[in-house]
Amino acid sequence: MNIDAYLTEHARKTPHRIALEEGNNSISYGNLEASVSDIAASIGEFRHCRFAILEEMGIQYIKMLMAVYRSDNIAIPMPIEMPRIILEKILDNSHIRNIITTEAQYSKLGENFFKRFGTIVIVSENKPIQFIRKELSIESNHPELKLVLYTSGTTGIPKGVMLSDKNLTTNAASIIEILGLNADDKAAMVISPHHAFGNSIINSHLMAGGCIAMGNMKFIGSVFSLIESGVTVFYGVPSTYRILLRYPDRFKKAFSNVRTAASAGGGMTKQILRNIKELVPGIEVLPMYGQTEATARLAYVPKEDVEEFIETIGKPIPGVTLDVFASKGQPVGPYITAELVAKGDNILLGYLDDEAATKKKIIDGWMYTGDLAQKLPNGYFKLMGRKDDLLKIGDHLVNPREIEKTIENNNKVSAVFVVPVEHELMGTAISLMVIPEPETDIDTLFKFCRKNLPAHLYPKEILFIDHPPLTESGKISNRLIVEEYKNVKNRM
Amino acid sequence: MENIKTSIVNYLKDNSFMDKNTELEDSDSLTQSGIIDSIGLLELLDYISEKYSIEIPEDMLIPENLDSLHGLTNMITSLTK
């Protein structure tokens, strides 16, 4: 059974139960089912074609997503918070001919942006579905492809992760099991629905027949009100918790009726756990670990072990096998650091239009996570950093070399080095060290970053340096960059 | 009132995704127009709290007070009274 079939099932059994809430609006399973069927019928002539979905989090977004599933087309949610320039790159590189969006988004991005599409569908509340253009395309896609999710951090062209019905339902079922979700649960979703974590909240709660209350992290007062509306499960990345914990009194009040505070997207720290537990001793804190390439989740720390094992990723979720492999695909023993690999029905079909990358990611049925880890004797796993030079910035995985190249290629600078620096709310932000040219101008650099990089990559500071922090063999390494940064700061 | 507004606009020009030459109407949404994101809003609140020596209670942290120049100036005015 696929995800949208669960929706039909709940609409039949509990048509009046509320499925989604957004501000003062809500929609029942019965009405959601009817809207999804309407939208699906309007694109029913398309046969397994790629449909970009362009809309912010909300009831409309979920209607469109389910409708693309139901019409047996391929849903490609656009990471709408990214700068326009990145959205355009994604769209053009993934050869998407069809888009489904709202009137507001259509007028915001303008006709020029939509020129690249053969088909443009506009879905608005209380108005008939409208086609700006319609051009049936014939596409040949992976037969099981249902959803393409983009990873969140990169500045260049993010990779599209291809997922199937089986991926989605297996991972949602595992999440339902570890969180003990049922139809009486109300989830608070304040993170982006366009990436793996947010998408998994939609899938698992709709599959369980419960309610999802949607908001965003912009207005803290509204977030607390949303939690106080009867939420039983709250989802956040570590920075979400860091931000909410700045208001301890209200946190205590708002979370007093929440059963589970789940976290993913980055390691939950001892400090965050301690702060939550001090304010709300009875709450179950559930740290989870995963990747977009695993649909969402791979591992979790069971509640009875959270205090003791907060610095591990815990054990695999049901249906997943984890192991640690040395370079030749051989499993290693406990306490030996090597690459974490995963197997299960939630592992991606591959990367969209990128066979070479797929072959590197999945070898002999095992997915290579790129994370270094150790096995512990009790069967838990502990992360030991990245195999590559990727950094976690504001809970997004980013490639610093890519950011450096983007800035270098578009500005008058000799060289750029990305430094991870502490940030009170995001955990980690970036600063830039720049080897200037005579024309280099700091304001212009800041401006370029604003326009061309995702918000979490806006540099905290830009420092000029006079020689590159390279290894003896002339290579760039994060470790040397951080050392040089400390030296520069000490001299200031 | 005008002073408060000017200092917010100047802050936004230096610290947000707003261009130096953007003309901002009093009622324009700061979040919808992409001028500020959630972290940026919190930083703006820290700036305001310090500059006007006010504490903003979290139940005031709602779109009506934060999402426009109009809302922000009204909120600051009412808290500094």
Side-chain angles (χ1 to χ4, degrees):
Chain A
M1 202 149 110
N2 50 35
I3 292 286
D4 80 281
Y6 284 93
L7 177 62
T8 308
E9 183 80 357
H10 295 307
R12 193 174 58 77
K13 285 187 184 155
T14 53
H16 302 297
R17 197 182 266 273
I18 298 297
L20 307 170
E21 286 180 8
E22 178 190 3
N24 295 322
N25 296 327
S26 66
I27 187 165
S28 66
Y29 271 93
N31 289 339
L32 179 60
E33 168 70 12
S35 291
V36 168
S37 294
D38 275 355
I39 304 169
S42 77
I43 53 172
E45 295 162 78
F46 290 84
R47 293 270 171 262
H48 206 227
C49 294
R50 300 177 186 187
F51 269 84
I53 304 176
L54 186 79
E55 168 62 335
E56 305 209 12
M57 153 115 77
I59 293 174
Q60 294 290 9
Y61 170 74
I62 295 184
K63 279 183 188 173
M64 295 175 190
L65 178 70
M66 293 294 146
V68 175
Y69 287 166
R70 176 149 313 165
S71 62
D72 197 28
N73 284 296
I74 298 153
I76 311 189
M78 288 294 107
I80 202 164
E81 68 285 356
M82 294 269 185
R84 179 187 177 128
I85 209 164
I86 296 181
L87 292 182
E88 289 177 335
K89 273 188 203 161
I90 292 177
L91 286 165
D92 294 340
N93 277 286
S94 40
H95 315 288
I96 303 173
R97 293 288 299 145
N98 315 299
I99 189 163
I100 177 160
T101 186
T102 57
E103 245 169 4
Q105 297 300 341
Y106 186 74
S107 56
K108 191 170 155 189
L109 283 156
E111 262 174 53
N112 239 340
F113 178 86
F114 288 92
K115 267 187 186 153
R116 54 175 60 77
F117 300 104
T119 299
I120 305 165
V121 191
I122 307 280
V123 175
S124 327
E125 215 175 337
N126 306 322
K127 268 195 198 171
I129 298 150
Q130 185 198 350
F131 279 82
I132 303 272
R133 274 198 296 282
K134 187 173 186 175
E135 187 190 292
L136 286 180
S137 50
I138 295 167
E139 300 180 13
S140 128
N141 290 302
H142 190 297
E144 288 172 58
L145 181 58
K146 194 83 179 171
L147 172 72
V148 178
L149 286 180
Y150 284 90
T151 46
S152 61
T154 41
T155 55
I157 307 146
K159 282 199 190 100
V161 173
M162 297 199 291
L163 300 171
S164 66
D165 258 329
K166 190 165 80 180
N167 289 153
L168 295 173
T169 46
T170 324
N171 208 229
S174 310
I175 293 170
I176 289 175
E177 192 179 332
I178 60 169
L179 280 153
L181 303 179
N182 62 49
D184 293 325
D185 273 313
K186 182 168 170 180
M189 173 156 165
V190 294
I191 53 171
S192 163
H194 312 113
H195 298 301
F197 188 13
N199 188 68
S200 75
I201 302 172
I202 299 173
N203 288 339
S204 43
H205 283 269
L206 288 184
M207 195 161 154
C211 174
I212 306 168
M214 298 173 285
N216 60 54
M217 280 300 288
K218 285 172 186 145
F219 309 107
I220 303 305
S222 315
V223 176
F224 282 122
S225 304
L226 183 150
I227 300 169
E228 284 159 3
S229 73
V231 161
T232 56
V233 185
F234 181 86
Y235 295 91
V237 293
S239 61
T240 316
Y241 289 102
R242 253 182 238 117
I243 291 169
L244 296 177
L245 283 163
R246 289 179 106 199
Y247 308 93
D249 294 343
R250 188 70 187 272
F251 190 98
K252 188 175 176 159
K253 180 167 168 261
F255 278 83
S256 61
N257 292 314
V258 175
R259 182 182 77 236
T260 306
S263 130
M268 176 75 117
T269 62
K270 252 190 183 145
Q271 189 61 46
I272 298 176
L273 175 71
R274 196 180 304 143
N275 291 347
I276 296 176
K277 284 284 190 180
E278 254 170 40
L279 294 169
V280 197
I283 201 167
E284 177 189 319
V285 178
L286 191 94
M288 306 185 289
Y289 161 80
Q291 287 196 332
T292 307
E293 287 86 344
T295 311
R297 294 290 83 69
L298 282 168
Y300 73 111
V301 186
K303 60 181 169 198
E304 59 276 14
D305 281 339
V306 164
E307 311 269 342
E308 194 180 343
F309 288 97
I310 185 72
E311 276 161 355
T312 75
I313 55 166
K315 64 177 185 182
I317 59 169
V320 167
T321 311
L322 292 178
D323 209 334
V324 178
F325 280 4
S327 53
K328 284 175 193 145
Q330 291 302 311
V332 298
Y335 298 119
I336 294 173
T337 303
E339 188 167 0
L340 185 70
V341 295
K343 207 175 219 177
D345 282 343
N346 58 328
I347 301 305
L348 78 164
L349 296 171
Y351 291 109
L352 188 68
D353 305 331
D354 195 343
E355 252 176 64
T358 305
K359 276 189 183 144
K360 272 193 211 156
K361 188 74 183 174
I362 312 169
I363 303 168
D364 296 333
W366 289 95
M367 179 186 81
Y368 284 70
T369 63
D371 282 324
L372 296 173
Q374 288 183 354
K375 270 189 266 196
L376 303 183
N378 69 345
Y380 284 16
F381 292 83
K382 186 173 186 192
L383 292 189
M384 306 300 294
R386 287 287 304 177
K387 197 180 163 215
D388 45 38
D389 253 355
L390 298 188
L391 299 169
K392 263 274 154 102
I393 305 293
D395 303 318
H396 300 272
L397 202 57
V398 306
N399 181 348
R401 302 294 90 79
E402 210 172 71
I403 304 169
E404 287 159 1
K405 230 177 254 150
T406 308
I407 300 173
E408 281 167 3
N409 291 345
N410 294 287
N411 290 279
K412 289 186 176 117
V413 288
S414 168
V416 176
F417 302 94
V418 166
V419 197
V421 291
E422 262 183 49
H423 188 283
E424 188 203 347
L425 300 169
M426 295 203 289
T428 313
I430 67 166
S431 285
L432 300 179
M433 289 194 299
V434 172
I435 302 182
E437 283 181 353
E439 307 95 328
T440 305
D441 173 51
I442 287 201
D443 277 347
T444 314
L445 285 176
F446 273 119
K447 199 170 163 186
F448 174 82
C449 295
R450 265 183 204 136
K451 285 257 180 260
N452 295 278
L453 304 181
H456 56 269
L457 296 181
Y458 185 66
K460 243 177 109 173
E461 59 191 338
I462 298 177
L463 303 173
F464 282 175
I465 53 173
D466 49 23
H467 64 275
L470 299 180
T471 62
E472 274 172 28
S473 57
K475 276 193 176 165
I476 300 177
S477 93
N478 288 345
R479 191 180 54 79
L480 280 178
I481 291 174
V482 172
E483 263 173 34
E484 175 65 15
Y485 175 78
K486 282 183 189 151
N487 292 338
V488 173
K489 290 298 260 192
N490 283 339
R491 286 200 296 268
M492 276 164 74
Chain B
M1 272 303 242
E2 274 309 298
N3 276 339
I4 297 178
K5 202 171 88 184
T6 315
S7 71
I8 297 172
V9 171
N10 286 338
Y11 174 90
L12 289 175
K13 281 185 179 168
D14 288 340
N15 299 287
S16 76
F17 297 92
M18 181 172 146
D19 279 331
K20 295 261 187 298
N21 45 12
T22 306
E23 286 297 323
L24 198 56
E25 298 289 329
D26 283 6
S27 59
D28 285 351
S29 163
L30 301 177
T31 58
Q32 288 295 318
S33 53
I35 287 177
I36 207 157
D37 66 339
S38 52
I39 299 282
L41 257 176
L42 288 165
E43 286 168 351
L44 170 65
L45 291 174
D46 287 347
Y47 165 79
I48 290 172
S49 303
E50 194 173 321
K51 183 171 168 83
Y52 297 99
S53 311
I54 50 175
E55 239 182 75
I56 308 168
E58 62 274 7
D59 53 10
M60 289 188 86
L61 305 180
I62 51 175
E64 291 75 12
N65 293 331
L66 305 186
D67 202 18
S68 63
L69 287 177
H70 180 75
L72 284 163
T73 30
N74 279 350
M75 179 182 74
I76 296 168
T77 314
S78 75
L79 287 171
T80 44
K81 257 181 197 160

